[in-house]
Amino acid sequence: MQKITRAGEPMDVSGTLPAKGQTAPLMTLTNADLEDVTLDTYSGKRKVLNIIPSVDTPTCAVSTRRFNELASQLDDTVVLVVSADLPFAAKRFCGAEGLDNVETLSTFRHREFQEAWGVALANSAMEGLCARAVVVLDADNLVLHSELVSELKNEPDYDSALASLKS
């Protein structure tokens, strides 16, 4: 069991985040149109997975906006914002914010993603939500960058995530 904190209080995270150099685990998630998608849906593209608890929290909203801004500068790359939010809520948030460079995906029907990708918050009031993490994949789903944010209220290291796409 991994540990992170929320406002300094320890929280458990189940599973193991994919490490740099590994092939990404399989995944099935639900998109804004209620369709199931997999990594094959984005075949041939590099992928930045911005994994968050919920777009309806301040830090998650900031990271989604920031990745939307950064994504417009990336070639052959898709930014996937993964949360347990219902697809309707994530779509509403992106529409209200004018965010069109990210794709929101939900774990609401696919909680196995959380364990397989090492982001399952456990043993707390936030159980069922994802921990904050960023995983960057190349076009063949090899992990280029992996970060489990140690304090849930902190933003991820955007510079390191994007630098992994340049090397």
Side-chain angles (χ1 to χ4, degrees):
M1 186 102 25
Q2 303 169 93
K3 295 277 188 192
I4 63 168
T5 58
R6 178 176 178 236
E9 293 296 318
M11 296 181 75
D12 292 332
V13 181
S14 295
T16 304
L17 195 69
K20 182 177 178 178
Q22 291 181 332
T23 299
L26 298 176
M27 69 172 213
T28 301
L29 295 167
T30 304
N31 70 14
D33 296 322
L34 298 177
E35 300 167 334
D36 286 349
V37 298
T38 67
L39 288 174
D40 289 341
T41 304
Y42 309 98
S43 182
K45 291 192 177 256
R46 302 178 306 171
K47 297 156 237 11
V48 177
L49 282 82
N50 178 36
I51 304 167
I52 60 174
S54 172
V55 294
D56 285 324
T57 63
T59 305
C60 298
V62 167
S63 71
T64 300
R65 285 186 206 104
R66 182 76 175 127
F67 274 117
N68 180 74
E69 174 190 330
L70 297 168
S72 65
Q73 304 164 22
L74 304 173
D75 293 328
D76 300 318
T77 305
V78 61
V79 176
L80 307 172
V81 179
V82 179
S83 72
D85 290 316
L86 291 175
F88 314 110
K91 187 174 185 175
R92 174 194 42 77
F93 172 82
C94 287
E97 295 281 331
L99 307 180
D100 55 6
N101 293 319
V102 297
E103 183 170 338
T104 57
L105 301 176
S106 178
T107 66
F108 90 107
R109 287 197 300 225
H110 306 286
R111 294 190 63 203
E112 69 280 357
F113 169 88
Q114 295 175 2
E115 184 80 27
W117 284 70
V119 295
L121 289 175
N123 306 322
S124 76
M126 295 187 70
E127 188 166 339
L129 299 178
C130 299
R132 184 177 320 288
V134 175
V135 179
V136 179
L137 308 176
D138 71 7
D140 297 316
N141 299 324
L142 184 70
V143 178
L144 302 175
H145 171 82
S146 180
E147 175 193 11
L148 178 64
V149 179
S150 62
E151 167 57 53
L152 196 60
K153 292 184 175 186
N154 291 347
E155 292 177 59
D157 183 348
Y158 304 107
D159 293 337
S160 292
L162 296 179
S164 70
L165 292 168
K166 297 176 183 169
S167 57

